[in-house]
Amino acid sequence: MSPRLLRLTPVVAALVLAGCASVAPDGQRSAVTAHTAGSLPAGSQLADPAPQARAAARAQVAAWLQQPVDADTAVRIALLNSPALEAQVAALGVQDAQRVQALTLPNPTLTLGRFVNAQEREIERQLSFGLVSLITLPWRARWQGWQLEQATLTTAQQVLLHAADTRRAWLRAVAAQQQLQTAQTLHEAAAAGGELARRMARVGNFSKLEQAQELRVQQEAAANLARSRLNAALEREQLARLMGLWGAQADFVLPATLPPLPAAAALRAGDDAEATALRERLDLRALRRELDTTAERNGFARVGAVFGDVGASYSRNTSTERASGHDDITRGWELELPLPLFDWGGAASAGARSALQRNAAQLRETALRARSEARSHWLRYRTAYDLAQQQQTEAVPLARFLQDEAVYRYNGMFISVWQLLAQARSTAQAVATATEAQRDFWLADVDLQLALTGTSPGTPPSPVTPSAAPAATTEAGH
């Protein structure tokens, strides 16, 4: 390669970069989807503001709502209907446009002048442009690309957080619906006991104290039923809000029960939790990219502050003698260099070093939190599974066995009707506790997935607390 061609290579590269920069036609939605594809249900997509795409999305949502909404469908609807995510993606498109604008070469400046004296007329023409912006274009292209990638990763985190919130709301709504059914069973049993107590007290076979105890149980069951109805309605409303549904669409149908527990062999292992989080979490990847950008800019901080206004210009002046009409043409170029008399770039360099130190510290702090969250959420996930498995395989079968035995003994006149009703309430409470444990496991699964591949799930999980003791039962003999 000839020396002349080598000198022209940076300029040619800059012109090529400036010519190739363009705004993504889909507003970076495909880039966000590429980062979240492995963590979202198949077929998930972000809202497209085009009218035809909106109409297709509305038709798709209406079709989904014709069937009971499972967790994956709830996430798909939420991503299509979320105005907050649409605003995030639009902001990403704005940043993409600003990137392209920053990579576009500045327009050159044309200066014209006409000067006249008694002997001659002079016309000046000057074409000038910023030299630094042209030379640094390859570096600026890389920085702008990194910044856009960082913003894309940040938007992808918001998508995963919204999907996780929707999945949590779906689990709570279905569990609250199951708890409402259990509360109705408890209330029916308590109402039967209360009615029987009133009849027995009326004929003198039941004392006032025993009747009052049964009425207290009935009142507690009625209050618990009211609270369960309210909780089910609020959880359902929270889910509808996250899915962006209102009006007639808010009357969607949910499955009757939570998903069954997976087999123990299908559980996620915890030995690679920390490594997975450090490798795949989007917030760490965004901070690494920010650190790369800051580190590269740190090297240019002092030079850019001192010589950021270097400019070059080409002049062509024409002087015409009035008497003879002879033209004298001069050509040449000028280079404008700022003199670093007052600002040597020390402040800019110190600011860049501080920004680099800040970003490095943020990355270390986030990595430390990611390690801790990976360990704690996996421990919570595994413990929640063991508790839920214990409830389903031991506690509930034991409660049903006791219920069957109570029925046999009642039929044989070995226990009273009050003991039978008390056992029925205890069995219903065992089912409710098992439902809570099943819900907690799936909630822990959502948090673990987010902690390993997305971002921080938010508030650290509270320690697992023992379930509430079953309601006090009353027994009375014949």
Side-chain angles (χ1 to χ4, degrees):
M1 186 176 292
S2 65
R4 180 181 178 84
L5 186 58
L6 285 175
R7 287 194 298 270
L8 291 177
T9 298
V11 177
V12 173
L15 294 176
V16 170
L17 287 172
C20 293
S22 61
V23 178
D26 64 348
Q28 296 294 324
R29 282 191 304 279
S30 59
V32 175
T33 303
H35 290 301
T36 59
S39 303
L40 295 177
S44 300
Q45 54 183 333
L46 297 173
D48 189 336
Q52 292 182 349
R54 284 186 181 278
R58 284 195 295 270
Q60 181 63 71
V61 170
W64 280 332
L65 293 178
Q66 296 300 317
Q67 303 294 327
V69 178
D70 59 18
D72 289 345
T73 303
V75 172
R76 296 188 189 100
I77 295 175
L79 297 184
L80 276 178
N81 281 343
S82 171
L85 290 183
E86 193 171 347
Q88 286 274 345
V89 175
L92 196 58
V94 171
Q95 185 163 350
D96 188 25
Q98 292 173 346
R99 176 188 67 87
V100 173
Q101 188 175 13
L103 295 181
T104 303
L105 290 177
N107 293 326
T109 302
L110 176 62
T111 304
L112 300 176
R114 183 176 183 275
F115 305 94
V116 179
N117 57 28
Q119 290 77 31
E120 60 181 11
R121 180 180 66 248
E122 182 178 2
I123 296 178
E124 292 185 358
R125 310 172 192 86
Q126 185 181 63
L127 186 65
S128 60
F129 58 92
L131 194 59
V132 172
S133 60
L134 177 63
I135 295 175
T136 61
L137 187 58
W139 291 277
R140 288 190 293 116
R142 186 161 62 242
W143 300 339
Q144 292 291 339
W146 287 349
Q147 286 183 327
L148 182 62
E149 183 182 353
Q150 178 192 352
T152 304
L153 289 169
T154 302
T155 303
Q157 293 176 54
Q158 297 301 318
V159 172
L160 293 184
L161 283 173
H162 191 74
D165 290 341
T166 304
R167 197 176 289 275
R168 292 192 197 101
W170 184 90
L171 291 169
R172 291 193 177 99
V174 175
Q177 186 176 267
Q178 285 186 253
Q179 299 286 16
L180 176 59
Q181 295 174 357
T182 304
Q184 288 174 341
T185 302
L186 286 170
H187 180 258
E188 291 171 0
E195 178 62 22
L196 182 59
R198 276 191 292 271
R199 291 182 182 182
M200 294 181 66
R202 190 182 307 126
V203 296
N205 292 332
F206 220 48
S207 67
K208 291 294 184 183
L209 176 61
E210 292 167 332
Q211 182 187 8
Q213 290 173 338
E214 284 302 318
L215 289 177
R216 180 176 61 82
V217 172
Q218 183 179 0
Q219 292 170 358
E220 291 177 352
N224 186 49
L225 177 60
R227 285 192 290 268
S228 297
R229 282 177 179 156
L230 175 63
N231 185 50
L234 293 181
E235 295 293 355
R236 183 186 176 87
E237 184 61 32
Q238 172 69 9
L239 176 60
R241 183 162 55 248
L242 288 171
M243 290 195 299
L245 302 179
W246 58 280
Q249 288 187 329
D251 295 330
F252 55 86
V253 179
L254 291 174
T257 59
L258 291 169
L261 294 176
L267 293 180
R268 177 185 285 273
D271 51 353
D272 63 339
E274 289 187 42
T276 303
L278 293 178
R279 184 177 62 251
E280 298 185 11
R281 273 182 59 148
L282 298 181
D283 54 351
L284 288 174
R285 292 166 60 186
L287 287 175
R288 290 192 193 102
R289 190 52 77 199
E290 183 180 4
L291 183 61
D292 293 339
T293 306
T294 308
E296 280 232 352
R297 283 189 166 179
N298 184 33
F300 286 85
R302 181 186 293 272
V303 177
V306 176
F307 300 105
D309 296 330
V310 173
S313 59
Y314 172 77
S315 301
R316 183 177 186 276
N317 301 331
T318 303
S319 300
T320 305
E321 292 184 0
R322 285 176 174 269
S324 62
H326 174 71
D327 291 337
D328 185 12
I329 299 176
T330 58
R331 302 180 182 85
W333 57 271
E334 294 179 350
L335 188 63
E336 297 180 1
L337 288 174
L339 298 178
L341 298 180
F342 307 106
D343 184 7
W344 283 84
S349 180
R353 285 198 304 273
S354 298
L356 182 62
Q357 294 170 358
R358 178 199 60 196
N359 292 342
Q362 287 178 342
L363 178 59
R364 291 197 304 272
E365 193 274 339
T366 305
L368 183 64
R369 188 175 68 248
R371 287 175 179 271
S372 175
E373 288 178 345
R375 295 192 303 268
S376 60
H377 282 281
W378 182 84
L379 184 61
R380 183 170 179 251
Y381 163 82
R382 183 66 209 199
T383 304
Y385 178 81
D386 292 340
L387 291 174
Q389 188 73 4
Q390 181 195 29
Q391 290 294 323
Q392 289 197 355
T393 60
E394 299 178 15
V396 172
L398 179 61
R400 286 176 177 161
F401 170 77
L402 294 175
Q403 178 68 28
D404 294 340
E405 288 295 320
V407 172
Y408 295 149
R409 290 175 178 273
Y410 174 74
N411 292 335
M413 303 295 288
F414 293 109
I415 64 173
S416 68
V417 66
W418 310 109
Q419 290 173 308
L420 179 63
L421 291 173
Q423 183 56 49
R425 290 194 291 267
S426 178
T427 303
Q429 184 63 47
V431 173
T433 303
T435 301
E436 291 178 356
Q438 188 176 0
R439 177 204 60 193
D440 291 343
F441 164 74
W442 286 115
L443 290 175
D445 179 66
V446 173
D447 291 343
L448 178 62
Q449 296 294 333
L450 194 60
L452 293 182
T453 62
T455 184
S456 175
T459 305
S462 58
V464 178
T465 55
S467 302
T473 58
T474 60
E475 297 182 358
H478 288 282

